[in-house]
Structures are given as structure tokens and as C-alpha cells.
Amino acid sequence: MIRAELDRSFMETKRNKLLWEVVSTRMREMGYNRSAEQCKCKWKNLFTRYKGCETMEEEAMRQQFPFYNEMQTIFSARMQSMLLSESEGGAKRKAVQLSSDEEEDIMEEKELEKSSVKKKKQGKASGAAGSSTSNSIKEVLEDFMRQQIEMEMQWREAFDARENERRSKEMEWRQKMEALENERLLMDQRWYEREEQRRIREEARAEKRDALITALLNKLRREDHHM
């Protein structure tokens, strides 16, 4: 999400070190302690897995890479921005614009492909030895993808655990607030009951006082009448 918000800045500069520091800082603000290098490595892994989904079936793709839709949204937004720039008279750009980090990944992948092709040619010359080398590269790539999937699963499990902990703390806080509110209502009710009892006692005393005064006045009148 943070990388998507900064995608335009990543596309406009070739030196992205400071931008990855910004990503790292915003991650820390959200409670995730990740260095700039870790954030960059995570994005490269996501980009590599996103490219690997191009030839997959939709169901298999979603099982292997649950963040495909988010990545697709980022690259679709890039394409729209590129088309808008061209329609406004801007300079022509590549069919799919890439950040400097992603271009590095493409170059590394091309180098890997060149190395693989070279090894395949050597394999044709050396027979069985070349076949073994090709299998070895395939095993390394498969092991790499398996490790990436395991890292992704571990990250998601850690995220779910933190989310559950946050929800638990939030529920506990709400329960405390409800208990305090109930206690306040109970105290208000008790105060109201005490005030009502006091008012009743004062009214009773006032009635007795009035009755006593009335009796005294009547007595005085009778005495005056007899005199």
C-alpha cells in the first residue's frame, strides 16, 4: 500500500534509496519494524512473483500469489498515467514503464537467461554434463520460489497474529470502557435515589412544621376567644 502511494516518485527518480527510507519510516509508524533494504527486497520479491504469474491459470495464480490484484492495480495505474502523458503531448515511453529497481530485476533476469542459454549450449556440446547443469538451474529456481512462498506465508502468519492481538486488546479496552460506563450509571442512579429520599424527608418535616404551626395558631385563637 505504501509502495503504491509512492509509485509515481519511484518512477521519476533513478536513485531510490531515500524513497525506501520513507517506506521504512512509514512502516515503523504503522508498527512494523522493517529496514529500507528489507522493504526493497520485499518489493523485488513481489515483482518477481508477479511477473511469474503471467503464464499461470487464474486459480493457480491466486493460490501461488495472493497479492496479484494489488500488484496489477499498481501497474495498471502506471499504464494509465503513461497514456495520459502521451495524449497530452509528452515524450514516448516504454510499453510498460518500470522503476529503476524493477529494471535492475529485469537486467538480472536477462543475465540469468543468458547464463542459462550459454550453459545449455555448453550442455549440447558436452552431452550429459549439460543436462545435469540445466536441471541444477531449474532446481535452484524452484528452491528459490519455494523459499519465497514460505517467507510470504510466514509474513502473513505474523501479520494475522498481530492483527488478532490488536483485536483482542481493542475488545479488552471496550469491555473496560463498558464497565466504567456501567459503574458511572450505577453511581448516578444511587445519587438520584439519595436525593429523592432527602426530598421526601424534607417534605415530611415541612408538613409536620406546618401542622404544628397551625395547631399553635388555633390554640391561641381559642384562648383569645374565651378571654
Side-chain angles (χ1 to χ4, degrees):
M1 179 186 68
I2 298 171
R3 176 59 177 77
E5 293 175 357
L6 297 173
D7 190 64
R8 186 178 183 86
S9 298
F10 273 93
M11 302 306 301
E12 294 174 350
T13 179
K14 291 296 183 181
R15 297 182 179 181
N16 297 332
K17 184 176 180 180
L18 292 179
L19 289 174
W20 286 118
E21 291 291 347
V22 173
V23 174
S24 175
T25 300
R26 293 182 61 179
M27 287 288 287
R28 284 196 295 271
E29 291 174 354
M30 298 173 67
Y32 306 107
N33 188 18
R34 300 290 187 275
S35 67
E37 187 63 28
Q38 287 176 317
C39 294
K40 179 180 178 181
C41 182
K42 181 65 176 179
W43 174 256
K44 292 178 69 175
N45 291 338
L46 290 172
F47 178 69
T48 300
R49 294 183 60 189
Y50 170 76
K51 287 178 74 275
C53 291
E54 294 176 352
T55 58
M56 290 186 181
E57 296 292 336
E58 183 174 356
E59 182 177 355
M61 175 188 69
R62 296 184 186 281
Q63 291 179 354
Q64 293 291 334
F65 188 41
F67 297 107
Y68 181 84
N69 290 338
E70 288 83 348
M71 297 292 290
Q72 182 66 24
T73 300
I74 295 174
F75 287 99
S76 296
R78 284 188 193 176
M79 180 63 70
Q80 291 176 1
S81 178
M82 181 190 70
L83 294 176
L84 180 61
S85 298
E86 291 181 357
S87 66
E88 293 176 350
K92 295 274 183 177
R93 300 183 181 181
K94 297 178 182 179
V96 178
Q97 192 176 16
L98 301 175
S99 68
S100 59
D101 297 323
E102 295 156 3
E103 288 178 348
E104 289 178 4
D105 292 340
I106 296 296
M107 294 300 295
E108 291 175 0
E109 184 176 337
K110 288 182 179 180
E111 290 296 329
L112 183 61
E113 289 177 354
K114 289 180 180 179
S115 176
S116 178
V117 170
K118 184 177 180 181
K119 288 182 179 180
K120 285 182 179 179
K121 289 181 179 180
Q122 292 175 349
K124 290 180 180 179
S126 59
S131 177
S132 175
T133 302
S134 177
N135 292 334
S136 176
I137 293 175
K138 183 178 180 181
E139 290 176 358
V140 170
L141 292 175
E142 289 177 349
D143 184 62
F144 173 77
M145 291 301 297
R146 183 165 55 252
Q147 290 179 4
Q148 294 302 312
I149 294 173
E150 290 177 356
M151 289 175 59
E152 189 67 36
M153 292 178 64
Q154 292 175 0
W155 181 86
R156 289 183 66 85
E157 289 174 357
F159 174 81
D160 292 340
R162 287 192 294 269
E163 185 66 14
N164 291 334
E165 182 180 0
R166 184 190 65 79
R167 291 176 180 174
S168 177
K169 290 182 178 179
E170 182 178 352
M171 183 176 295
E172 182 180 354
W173 177 82
R174 288 183 178 179
Q175 290 174 350
K176 288 181 179 179
M177 291 301 101
E178 290 177 359
L180 289 173
E181 180 65 14
N182 292 334
E183 184 178 354
R184 185 188 66 79
L185 293 175
L186 182 60
M187 292 177 65
D188 289 346
Q189 182 179 357
R190 290 176 179 174
W191 177 85
Y192 177 79
E193 291 175 353
R194 288 196 299 270
E195 288 296 311
E196 185 67 17
Q197 292 174 0
R198 183 183 62 79
R199 185 185 62 80
I200 293 173
R201 289 195 297 270
E202 288 181 354
E203 290 179 353
R205 286 197 296 269
E207 290 177 358
K208 290 180 180 181
R209 183 176 63 251
D210 293 343
L212 180 60
I213 292 173
T214 300
L216 290 173
L217 290 173
N218 291 335
K219 182 178 180 181
L220 291 173
R221 287 172 184 168
R222 285 195 299 271
E223 290 176 354
D224 291 342
H225 178 73
H226 289 303
M227 292 178 61

PDB file of all heavy atoms in Angstrom, residues 120-138:
ATOM      1  N   LYS A 120      23.189 -24.067 -21.631  1.00  0.00           N
ATOM      2  CA  LYS A 120      22.511 -25.061 -22.473  1.00  0.00           C
ATOM      3  C   LYS A 120      23.345 -25.394 -23.711  1.00  0.00           C
ATOM      4  O   LYS A 120      23.421 -26.544 -24.134  1.00  0.00           O
ATOM      5  CB  LYS A 120      21.138 -24.528 -22.878  1.00  0.00           C
ATOM      6  CG  LYS A 120      20.114 -24.564 -21.760  1.00  0.00           C
ATOM      7  CD  LYS A 120      18.768 -24.062 -22.238  1.00  0.00           C
ATOM      8  CE  LYS A 120      17.745 -24.120 -21.124  1.00  0.00           C
ATOM      9  NZ  LYS A 120      16.416 -23.616 -21.567  1.00  0.00           N
ATOM     10  N   LYS A 121      23.966 -24.327 -24.297  1.00  0.00           N
ATOM     11  CA  LYS A 121      24.823 -24.578 -25.463  1.00  0.00           C
ATOM     12  C   LYS A 121      26.018 -25.447 -25.090  1.00  0.00           C
ATOM     13  O   LYS A 121      26.404 -26.351 -25.819  1.00  0.00           O
ATOM     14  CB  LYS A 121      25.307 -23.245 -26.035  1.00  0.00           C
ATOM     15  CG  LYS A 121      24.206 -22.454 -26.718  1.00  0.00           C
ATOM     16  CD  LYS A 121      24.736 -21.150 -27.292  1.00  0.00           C
ATOM     17  CE  LYS A 121      23.646 -20.370 -27.998  1.00  0.00           C
ATOM     18  NZ  LYS A 121      24.152 -19.084 -28.555  1.00  0.00           N
ATOM     19  N   GLN A 122      26.576 -25.122 -23.935  1.00  0.00           N
ATOM     20  CA  GLN A 122      27.696 -25.944 -23.480  1.00  0.00           C
ATOM     21  C   GLN A 122      27.232 -27.370 -23.212  1.00  0.00           C
ATOM     22  O   GLN A 122      27.955 -28.327 -23.429  1.00  0.00           O
ATOM     23  CB  GLN A 122      28.296 -25.344 -22.213  1.00  0.00           C
ATOM     24  CG  GLN A 122      28.999 -24.009 -22.446  1.00  0.00           C
ATOM     25  CD  GLN A 122      29.488 -23.375 -21.160  1.00  0.00           C
ATOM     26  OE1 GLN A 122      29.127 -23.836 -20.066  1.00  0.00           O
ATOM     27  NE2 GLN A 122      30.294 -22.338 -21.274  1.00  0.00           N
ATOM     28  N   GLY A 123      25.969 -27.458 -22.759  1.00  0.00           N
ATOM     29  CA  GLY A 123      25.419 -28.776 -22.463  1.00  0.00           C
ATOM     30  C   GLY A 123      25.264 -29.613 -23.716  1.00  0.00           C
ATOM     31  O   GLY A 123      25.456 -30.824 -23.703  1.00  0.00           O
ATOM     32  N   LYS A 124      24.847 -28.928 -24.821  1.00  0.00           N
ATOM     33  CA  LYS A 124      24.710 -29.680 -26.064  1.00  0.00           C
ATOM     34  C   LYS A 124      26.062 -30.220 -26.515  1.00  0.00           C
ATOM     35  O   LYS A 124      26.153 -31.295 -27.103  1.00  0.00           O
ATOM     36  CB  LYS A 124      24.130 -28.769 -27.146  1.00  0.00           C
ATOM     37  CG  LYS A 124      22.677 -28.423 -26.911  1.00  0.00           C
ATOM     38  CD  LYS A 124      22.143 -27.517 -28.014  1.00  0.00           C
ATOM     39  CE  LYS A 124      20.688 -27.170 -27.776  1.00  0.00           C
ATOM     40  NZ  LYS A 124      20.149 -26.264 -28.834  1.00  0.00           N
ATOM     41  N   ALA A 125      27.111 -29.438 -26.249  1.00  0.00           N
ATOM     42  CA  ALA A 125      28.452 -29.878 -26.651  1.00  0.00           C
ATOM     43  C   ALA A 125      28.973 -30.984 -25.753  1.00  0.00           C
ATOM     44  O   ALA A 125      29.704 -31.864 -26.177  1.00  0.00           O
ATOM     45  CB  ALA A 125      29.423 -28.698 -26.646  1.00  0.00           C
ATOM     46  N   SER A 126      28.569 -30.928 -24.488  1.00  0.00           N
ATOM     47  CA  SER A 126      29.127 -31.898 -23.534  1.00  0.00           C
ATOM     48  C   SER A 126      28.153 -33.012 -23.181  1.00  0.00           C
ATOM     49  O   SER A 126      28.439 -33.828 -22.329  1.00  0.00           O
ATOM     50  CB  SER A 126      29.547 -31.172 -22.257  1.00  0.00           C
ATOM     51  OG  SER A 126      28.436 -30.510 -21.682  1.00  0.00           O
ATOM     52  N   GLY A 127      26.960 -33.013 -23.789  1.00  0.00           N
ATOM     53  CA  GLY A 127      26.034 -34.126 -23.597  1.00  0.00           C
ATOM     54  C   GLY A 127      25.417 -34.165 -22.222  1.00  0.00           C
ATOM     55  O   GLY A 127      24.749 -33.246 -21.777  1.00  0.00           O
ATOM     56  N   ALA A 128      25.665 -35.233 -21.514  1.00  0.00           N
ATOM     57  CA  ALA A 128      25.040 -35.487 -20.213  1.00  0.00           C
ATOM     58  C   ALA A 128      25.383 -34.415 -19.193  1.00  0.00           C
ATOM     59  O   ALA A 128      24.589 -34.081 -18.327  1.00  0.00           O
ATOM     60  CB  ALA A 128      25.463 -36.859 -19.695  1.00  0.00           C
ATOM     61  N   ALA A 129      26.601 -33.867 -19.271  1.00  0.00           N
ATOM     62  CA  ALA A 129      27.021 -32.834 -18.308  1.00  0.00           C
ATOM     63  C   ALA A 129      26.136 -31.601 -18.432  1.00  0.00           C
ATOM     64  O   ALA A 129      25.739 -30.988 -17.436  1.00  0.00           O
ATOM     65  CB  ALA A 129      28.480 -32.457 -18.553  1.00  0.00           C
ATOM     66  N   GLY A 130      25.789 -31.204 -19.681  1.00  0.00           N
ATOM     67  CA  GLY A 130      24.917 -30.044 -19.884  1.00  0.00           C
ATOM     68  C   GLY A 130      23.531 -30.279 -19.331  1.00  0.00           C
ATOM     69  O   GLY A 130      22.915 -29.379 -18.773  1.00  0.00           O
ATOM     70  N   SER A 131      22.990 -31.452 -19.515  1.00  0.00           N
ATOM     71  CA  SER A 131      21.662 -31.781 -18.988  1.00  0.00           C
ATOM     72  C   SER A 131      21.638 -31.664 -17.482  1.00  0.00           C
ATOM     73  O   SER A 131      20.681 -31.162 -16.887  1.00  0.00           O
ATOM     74  CB  SER A 131      21.277 -33.191 -19.429  1.00  0.00           C
ATOM     75  OG  SER A 131      20.025 -33.557 -18.868  1.00  0.00           O
ATOM     76  N   SER A 132      22.708 -32.102 -16.845  1.00  0.00           N
ATOM     77  CA  SER A 132      22.797 -32.008 -15.384  1.00  0.00           C
ATOM     78  C   SER A 132      22.810 -30.552 -14.929  1.00  0.00           C
ATOM     79  O   SER A 132      22.192 -30.185 -13.940  1.00  0.00           O
ATOM     80  CB  SER A 132      24.061 -32.729 -14.912  1.00  0.00           C
ATOM     81  OG  SER A 132      24.234 -32.569 -13.525  1.00  0.00           O
ATOM     82  N   THR A 133      23.551 -29.684 -15.673  1.00  0.00           N
ATOM     83  CA  THR A 133      23.623 -28.261 -15.318  1.00  0.00           C
ATOM     84  C   THR A 133      22.257 -27.600 -15.438  1.00  0.00           C
ATOM     85  O   THR A 133      21.844 -26.807 -14.586  1.00  0.00           O
ATOM     86  CB  THR A 133      24.625 -27.541 -16.228  1.00  0.00           C
ATOM     87  OG1 THR A 133      25.892 -28.161 -16.110  1.00  0.00           O
ATOM     88  CG2 THR A 133      24.734 -26.070 -15.848  1.00  0.00           C
ATOM     89  N   SER A 134      21.525 -27.920 -16.523  1.00  0.00           N
ATOM     90  CA  SER A 134      20.188 -27.348 -16.726  1.00  0.00           C
ATOM     91  C   SER A 134      19.253 -27.764 -15.594  1.00  0.00           C
ATOM     92  O   SER A 134      18.492 -26.943 -15.061  1.00  0.00           O
ATOM     93  CB  SER A 134      19.623 -27.797 -18.074  1.00  0.00           C
ATOM     94  OG  SER A 134      18.315 -27.312 -18.256  1.00  0.00           O
ATOM     95  N   ASN A 135      19.316 -29.011 -15.228  1.00  0.00           N
ATOM     96  CA  ASN A 135      18.483 -29.487 -14.118  1.00  0.00           C
ATOM     97  C   ASN A 135      18.851 -28.784 -12.822  1.00  0.00           C
ATOM     98  O   ASN A 135      18.000 -28.487 -11.992  1.00  0.00           O
ATOM     99  CB  ASN A 135      18.633 -31.000 -13.961  1.00  0.00           C
ATOM    100  CG  ASN A 135      18.023 -31.757 -15.130  1.00  0.00           C
ATOM    101  OD1 ASN A 135      17.116 -31.242 -15.785  1.00  0.00           O
ATOM    102  ND2 ASN A 135      18.500 -32.959 -15.382  1.00  0.00           N
ATOM    103  N   SER A 136      20.145 -28.521 -12.651  1.00  0.00           N
ATOM    104  CA  SER A 136      20.603 -27.855 -11.448  1.00  0.00           C
ATOM    105  C   SER A 136      20.029 -26.433 -11.368  1.00  0.00           C
ATOM    106  O   SER A 136      19.577 -25.982 -10.314  1.00  0.00           O
ATOM    107  CB  SER A 136      22.129 -27.804 -11.420  1.00  0.00           C
ATOM    108  OG  SER A 136      22.582 -27.084 -10.290  1.00  0.00           O
ATOM    109  N   ILE A 137      20.037 -25.704 -12.497  1.00  0.00           N
ATOM    110  CA  ILE A 137      19.481 -24.347 -12.521  1.00  0.00           C
ATOM    111  C   ILE A 137      17.983 -24.387 -12.215  1.00  0.00           C
ATOM    112  O   ILE A 137      17.466 -23.569 -11.449  1.00  0.00           O
ATOM    113  CB  ILE A 137      19.733 -23.690 -13.890  1.00  0.00           C
ATOM    114  CG1 ILE A 137      21.236 -23.466 -14.082  1.00  0.00           C
ATOM    115  CG2 ILE A 137      18.973 -22.375 -14.014  1.00  0.00           C
ATOM    116  CD1 ILE A 137      21.592 -22.934 -15.448  1.00  0.00           C
ATOM    117  N   LYS A 138      17.297 -25.347 -12.802  1.00  0.00           N
ATOM    118  CA  LYS A 138      15.870 -25.480 -12.560  1.00  0.00           C
ATOM    119  C   LYS A 138      15.588 -25.746 -11.089  1.00  0.00           C
ATOM    120  O   LYS A 138      14.666 -25.167 -10.495  1.00  0.00           O
ATOM    121  CB  LYS A 138      15.301 -26.605 -13.418  1.00  0.00           C
ATOM    122  CG  LYS A 138      13.791 -26.769 -13.281  1.00  0.00           C
ATOM    123  CD  LYS A 138      13.279 -27.864 -14.195  1.00  0.00           C
ATOM    124  CE  LYS A 138      11.762 -28.025 -14.036  1.00  0.00           C
ATOM    125  NZ  LYS A 138      11.243 -29.102 -14.906  1.00  0.00           N
TER     126      LYS A 138
END
